Amino acid sequence: MSLIVVGTMAFDAIETPFGKSGQIIGGSATYVAYAASNFVKPVNQISVIGYDFPEEELEELKGRGVQMDGVQVKQEEKSFFWAGKYHLDMNTRDTLDTQLNVLASFEPKVPDAYQGSEFLMLGNLMPSLQLSVIRQLKNRPKLIVMDTMNFWMDTAMADLEIVLKEVDVLMVNDSEARQLSGQFSLVKAAKEIMKMGPKFLVIKKGEHGALLFHENEVFFAPALPLEEVFDPTGAGDTFAGGFVGHLAATQDISFNNMKTAIIKGSALASFCVEKFGTTRMKEINAAQIDERIQQFVDLVNFEIKLAE
Amino acid sequence: MSLIVVGTMAFDAIETPFGKSGQIIGGSATYVAYAASNFVKPVNQISVIGYDFPEEELEELKGRGVQMDGVQVKQEEKSFFWAGKYHLDMNTRDTLDTQLNVLASFEPKVPDAYQGSEFLMLGNLMPSLQLSVIRQLKNRPKLIVMDTMNFWMDTAMADLEIVLKEVDVLMVNDSEARQLSGQFSLVKAAKEIMKMGPKFLVIKKGEHGALLFHENEVFFAPALPLEEVFDPTGAGDTFAGGFVGHLAATQDISFNNMKTAIIKGSALASFCVEKFGTTRMKEINAAQIDERIQQFVDLVNFEIKLAE
């Protein structure tokens, strides 16, 4: 039950209505690894960092079973940096600054030790790099999950279409699903997107929860109603990490088990947004996660008797 | 198990991205009555109509157990008329025309035959008229449910605050909850609103479902993901009618039974939006409603085992 995670390990600087974070740890693969490592070990990380990425962060992740053989360290360059500002509704944000740095020339390499991993999580990254990882694997994983974003639809659609044909599960948010499909209705969007390759589609709706589509089936998981969303950065990656981490831990890729995976991902994401960056992900333990999952059960659980 | 429904019976003219309806039957009490009558009889209607309201519509409603003793007919005046246009997202709309007509001088009268009804649904209407109905009842109903809208928060807030103190369940949409409470977070908004009077609060989020709050408990019901929302007019009233109709039919006003009521209301609302106006509400039968409710069960049902 091993999992490869591909994506960025980076710095973020975040502004929300609640304040500014300063420079903090971020990156899609960082969040995925923190989340997935609650359920599965090892997490075989593939990423790239510069000389400035803190050693203690790597140690923290290693302590959680995250393997760093596939994380390239470029001693002459800085780590990828993103700065963004959230609007009041916390569902939309503006990018204030993007410095590719190490990412500009990144060529992911799959270490021999990672070969044979049964699960692959392609965190948000240039589609050509996601594809490169798939192509380097000697055996196709049991399940390939892919995250992407509107930026790649605008700038690398041809590559994105190729990757889509190779993956089992695609995760996008609602506006990305609409853009990718050209359909406003999410039900119609899902049908179109599943024709592009993925057999499963997760549409993330932020505070409005997430939908899982497969053939003619659909499952909905709410987001936990929170008093405050402090910082949404990484919530989607954390959700993805919880999702794929649960699947990898259970080795069960049925639609039914994906429902459970979505609830677990949602529970982890609900922690992520409570503090800046990865702060909350470092604090939580298994008991707290279970307690949060129980809140999801209580939130949606109802009994109904249908007329005879 | 009798239910009083107060609200408008009116004409609407609706524009959506799919077309124009022309002048059709509408009104909050009309939708509530169609929905509630699936579960409870009689529905004791209180409203006002003009000379132009079609007799066959009244007959249709009577055939469903809707009592018309409390519906005033003003032979010299026209029925209330509203025209509106929906934006592409179907969640927002502009009012194109409002003609109060019979509503301008409406004074609701509770017929003697309605006294002793155990459930009261105050459909969206001027707060002073909602209050007048409460005051005319000799015995307080077992449960008073109230719908309202932002227009009354803007124009009749003092009256609205008085009615709020008298009701058990308030139903508003998310933007109205924010306006009423001055809180952006819906969890905080709910806490503030429950201090104003209602012990239960339903926040309707349209295509994003509905939340039920009570003390420290919260329940979430999704909206059914539909290929097309054809016309959202009346969805909120239909939801309310299904909700209160189920409660009145079962005589159980526990939080747990309100969860079921919300699912039933959501199921009826999911039919309502499939065609213009009340069209769909006239077509559906008990078996179709049960089938739709089963879709809600399937949509949110998951199994999860928590670690020991």
Side-chain angles (χ1 to χ4, degrees):
Chain A
M1 52 181 231
S2 53
L3 166 68
I4 296 177
V5 173
V6 187
T8 56
M9 296 175 71
F11 289 114
D12 287 340
I14 297 153
E15 286 182 40
T16 78
F18 301 106
K20 295 185 183 190
S21 70
Q23 179 168 301
I24 58 173
I25 297 294
S28 59
T30 309
Y31 283 105
V32 172
Y34 270 113
S37 64
N38 285 293
F39 304 132
V40 65
K41 293 184 190 0
V43 172
N44 292 325
Q45 195 87 337
I46 296 181
S47 191
V48 60
I49 55 178
Y51 63 83
D52 52 356
F53 200 86
E55 186 59 38
E56 57 268 31
E57 192 70 24
L58 297 175
E59 291 305 319
E60 174 84 35
L61 285 163
K62 283 181 199 168
R64 290 161 189 266
V66 182
Q67 301 300 307
M68 296 296 174
D69 302 6
V71 177
Q72 300 168 34
V73 186
K74 299 195 175 180
Q75 292 296 352
E76 308 295 305
E77 294 180 69
K78 283 184 161 186
S79 299
F80 173 54
F81 172 76
W82 175 81
K85 181 176 178 171
Y86 287 89
H87 302 169
L88 183 60
D89 70 2
M90 289 288 195
N91 279 332
T92 50
R93 68 187 186 189
D94 296 324
T95 290
L96 301 177
D97 193 7
T98 304
Q99 297 173 19
L100 287 180
N101 299 329
V102 291
L103 212 55
S105 60
F106 178 41
E107 293 179 11
K109 298 268 181 337
V110 178
D112 286 344
Y114 289 8
Q115 292 291 350
S117 294
E118 292 160 290
F119 288 78
L120 171 60
M121 175 71 226
L122 299 167
N124 180 33
L125 195 65
M126 223 173 303
S128 59
L129 300 186
Q130 294 178 317
L131 189 64
S132 154
V133 171
I134 296 174
R135 296 277 154 86
Q136 290 176 57
L137 295 175
K138 292 173 188 158
N139 301 307
R140 189 190 191 279
K142 186 170 177 174
L143 193 81
I144 304 178
V145 183
M146 174 196 192
D147 192 9
T148 190
M149 71 186 295
N150 53 353
F151 182 76
W152 308 120
M153 298 173 198
D154 295 334
T155 62
M157 190 59 193
D159 286 346
L160 182 56
E161 284 177 345
I162 297 169
V163 191
L164 282 173
K165 290 194 174 66
E166 305 282 335
V167 306
D168 302 297
V169 184
L170 175 68
M171 295 188 167
V172 285
N173 69 31
D174 43 2
S175 70
E176 289 158 354
R178 290 181 170 128
Q179 178 172 350
L180 188 58
S181 64
Q183 293 286 346
F184 187 82
S185 153
L186 294 181
V187 175
K188 289 186 177 178
K191 287 183 179 171
E192 288 304 313
I193 291 169
M194 287 191 285
K195 288 181 197 161
M196 298 178 184
K199 290 182 289 295
F200 298 87
L201 173 67
V202 177
I203 300 182
K204 299 173 288 183
K205 305 200 296 171
E207 62 162 324
H208 301 302
L211 290 161
L212 168 67
F213 293 91
H214 174 58
E215 292 173 355
N216 289 318
E217 293 187 284
V218 57
F219 172 67
F220 175 83
L224 206 64
L226 297 170
E227 291 227 0
E228 234 36 290
V229 171
F230 188 80
D231 171 21
T233 310
D237 302 313
T238 301
F239 173 85
F243 176 83
V244 76
H246 171 75
L247 295 179
T250 54
Q251 298 277 313
D252 173 357
I253 58 172
S254 68
F255 185 75
N256 255 340
N257 197 44
M258 283 196 195
K259 295 180 183 181
T260 309
I262 283 198
I263 296 293
K264 293 203 169 184
S266 300
L268 290 178
S270 76
F271 284 113
C272 177
V273 302
E274 291 177 339
K275 293 187 180 176
F276 272 133
T278 57
T279 314
R280 204 69 183 102
M281 301 314 293
K282 296 178 192 175
E283 296 171 351
I284 56 173
N285 60 38
Q288 287 170 298
I289 294 170
D290 276 358
E291 192 186 332
R292 190 61 62 98
I293 291 169
Q294 185 60 49
Q295 288 182 260
F296 276 85
V297 174
D298 295 340
L299 181 64
V300 297
N301 189 45
F302 64 89
E303 284 178 25
I304 211 154
K305 281 183 207 134
L306 299 181
E308 297 306 302
Chain B
M1 54 182 227
S2 53
L3 165 68
I4 297 177
V5 173
V6 187
T8 56
M9 296 176 70
F11 289 115
D12 287 339
I14 297 153
E15 286 182 38
T16 78
F18 301 106
K20 295 185 184 189
S21 69
Q23 179 168 301
I24 57 172
I25 297 294
S28 59
T30 310
Y31 284 105
V32 171
Y34 270 113
S37 65
N38 286 294
F39 305 131
V40 67
K41 291 185 192 2
V43 173
N44 292 325
Q45 196 86 336
I46 296 180
S47 191
V48 61
I49 56 178
Y51 62 83
D52 52 355
F53 198 87
E55 187 60 37
E56 57 266 32
E57 191 71 23
L58 297 175
E59 291 305 318
E60 173 84 36
L61 285 163
K62 283 181 197 168
R64 290 160 189 266
V66 182
Q67 302 299 308
M68 296 296 174
D69 302 5
V71 178
Q72 300 168 33
V73 186
K74 299 194 176 181
Q75 291 297 353
E76 308 295 304
E77 296 180 68
K78 284 185 161 185
S79 300
F80 173 55
F81 173 76
W82 176 82
K85 180 177 179 171
Y86 287 88
H87 301 170
L88 183 60
D89 70 1
M90 289 287 196
N91 279 333
T92 50
R93 67 186 186 189
D94 295 325
T95 290
L96 300 177
D97 193 7
T98 304
Q99 297 172 17
L100 286 179
N101 301 329
V102 292
L103 213 56
S105 61
F106 179 41
E107 291 180 13
K109 298 267 182 335
V110 178
D112 285 345
Y114 290 8
Q115 292 291 347
S117 293
E118 293 160 291
F119 288 78
L120 171 60
M121 175 71 225
L122 299 167
N124 181 33
L125 195 65
M126 224 172 303
S128 60
L129 300 185
Q130 294 177 319
L131 190 64
S132 156
V133 171
I134 297 174
R135 294 279 153 86
Q136 290 176 56
L137 296 175
K138 291 173 186 157
N139 300 307
R140 191 192 190 278
K142 188 170 177 174
L143 192 80
I144 303 178
V145 182
M146 175 196 189
D147 192 9
T148 189
M149 71 185 296
N150 53 353
F151 181 75
W152 308 120
M153 298 173 198
D154 294 336
T155 62
M157 190 59 193
D159 286 346
L160 182 57
E161 283 176 346
I162 296 169
V163 192
L164 282 173
K165 289 194 175 69
E166 305 283 336
V167 306
D168 302 298
V169 184
L170 175 68
M171 295 187 165
V172 285
N173 70 30
D174 43 1
S175 69
E176 288 158 353
R178 289 180 171 128
Q179 179 172 350
L180 188 58
S181 65
Q183 293 286 346
F184 187 82
S185 152
L186 294 180
V187 176
K188 288 185 177 179
K191 287 183 180 172
E192 288 304 313
I193 291 169
M194 287 191 285
K195 287 181 198 162
M196 297 177 186
K199 292 182 287 295
F200 299 87
L201 173 68
V202 177
I203 299 182
K204 300 172 288 185
K205 304 199 298 171
E207 62 162 325
H208 301 303
L211 289 161
L212 169 67
F213 293 91
H214 174 58
E215 293 174 353
N216 290 317
E217 293 186 284
V218 58
F219 171 67
F220 176 83
L224 206 65
L226 297 171
E227 291 226 0
E228 229 47 281
V229 171
F230 188 80
D231 171 21
T233 310
D237 302 314
T238 301
F239 173 85
F243 175 83
V244 76
H246 171 76
L247 295 178
T250 55
Q251 297 277 311
D252 173 357
I253 59 172
S254 68
F255 184 75
N256 255 340
N257 197 45
M258 284 196 195
K259 293 181 184 180
T260 308
I262 283 199
I263 297 294
K264 293 203 169 182
S266 301
L268 290 178
S270 75
F271 283 113
C272 178
V273 303
E274 290 176 341
K275 293 188 181 176
F276 272 131
T278 57
T279 314
R280 203 70 183 104
M281 299 315 292
K282 296 178 192 175
E283 296 172 349
I284 56 172
N285 60 36
Q288 287 169 299
I289 294 170
D290 276 358
E291 191 187 333
R292 191 61 63 97
I293 291 169
Q294 185 60 49
Q295 287 181 264
F296 276 86
V297 174
D298 296 341
L299 181 64
V300 297
N301 188 45
F302 63 88
E303 283 178 25
I304 210 155
K305 282 184 204 132
L306 299 179
E308 297 304 304

